[in-house]
């Protein structure tokens, strides 16, 4: 009984799923079908699209990379590893019968209340603020120019990286490839944020319990 609005594909993963519209009061926690969803009934491109997917089995501080048994957004945490992020930089979003390509510019974790379920275009001020925070929080520095005039796509999923009681989500931000922009490889490097999460990943459960 859900409406399919589009389709999402993420380079380097098995994420190749429909994007459905879910109302705010719908209980999808027990639905086992493979899909992702948005909270707004928008069947066209806006300047900020926020897509959510379940992650049940890959939520720890030592996430697995592209485990074939993983479904929905369970392979998204593969981007917590620099080597994987270097090799996979593009997302395809299909909506209204058109394919749109996005370049990843940020990989980070955020608190639930920091994300917007916008039902229409954000103001340029709001989008600029969101982009600035995403760049600040990113584990990586991408050689991607991005500003409030771009169209932004955010993918998010559950994580227990900082422990089961901390309400964080793992997220990836990307901007739409601009008109006449060449699709090519671009550089990425880890920063101080990456060093911090890498220490937790290398420390495993002991470090996780200290958070």
């Amino acid at each position: 009984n859900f409406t399919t609005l589009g389709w999402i594909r993420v380079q380097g993963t098995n994420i190749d799923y429909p994007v459905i519209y879910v109302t705010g009061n719908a209980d999808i926690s027990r639905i086992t079908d493979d899909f992702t969803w948005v909270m707004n009934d928008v069947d066209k491109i806006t300047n900020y699209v926020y897509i959510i997917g379940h992650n049940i089995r890959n939520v720890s501080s030592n996430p697995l990379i592209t485990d074939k048994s993983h479904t929905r957004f369970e392979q998204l945490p593969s981007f917590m590893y620099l080597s994987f992020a270097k090799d996979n930089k593009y997302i395809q979003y299909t909506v209204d019968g058109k394919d749109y390509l996005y370049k990843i510019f940020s990989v980070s974790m955020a608190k639930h209340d920091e994300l917007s379920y916008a039902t229409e275009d954000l103001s340029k001020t709001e989008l600029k603020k969101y982009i600035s925070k995403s760049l600040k929080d990113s584990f990586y520095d991408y050689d991607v120019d991005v500003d409030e005039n771009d169209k932004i796509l955010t993918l998010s999923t559950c994580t227990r990286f900082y422990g089961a009681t901390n309400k964080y989500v793992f997220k990836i931000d990307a901007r739409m490839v601009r008109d006449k922009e060449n699709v090519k490889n671009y550089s990425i490097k880890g920063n101080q944020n990456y060093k911090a999460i890498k220490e937790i990943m290398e420390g495993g459960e002991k470090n996780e319990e200290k958070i």
Side-chain angles (χ1 to χ4, degrees), residues 14 95 161 175 182 193:
N14 65 356
V95 65
F161 190 86
R175 73 147 172 86
N182 292 328
N193 296 331

Side-chain angles (χ1 to χ4, degrees), residues 44-102:
K44 61 181 180 180
I45 288 292
T46 58
N47 70 354
Y48 180 69
V49 178
Y50 177 33
I51 300 176
I52 311 165
H54 279 311
N55 177 17
I56 308 298
R57 295 172 292 178
N58 202 22
V59 295
S60 78
S61 60
N62 288 289
L64 301 178
I65 300 178
T66 60
D67 187 303
K68 292 182 180 179
S69 69
H70 286 167
T71 60
R72 291 169 277 190
F73 269 2
E74 290 178 340
Q75 286 196 3
L76 209 62
S78 299
F79 284 90
M80 295 186 74
Y81 298 92
L82 179 58
S83 58
F84 184 87
K86 282 182 175 180
D87 291 337
N88 301 286
K89 301 172 181 175
Y90 283 93
I91 298 170
Q92 180 180 297
Y93 180 44
T94 302
V95 65
D96 194 25
K98 298 179 182 179
D99 297 331
Y100 298 93
L101 194 63
Y102 289 76

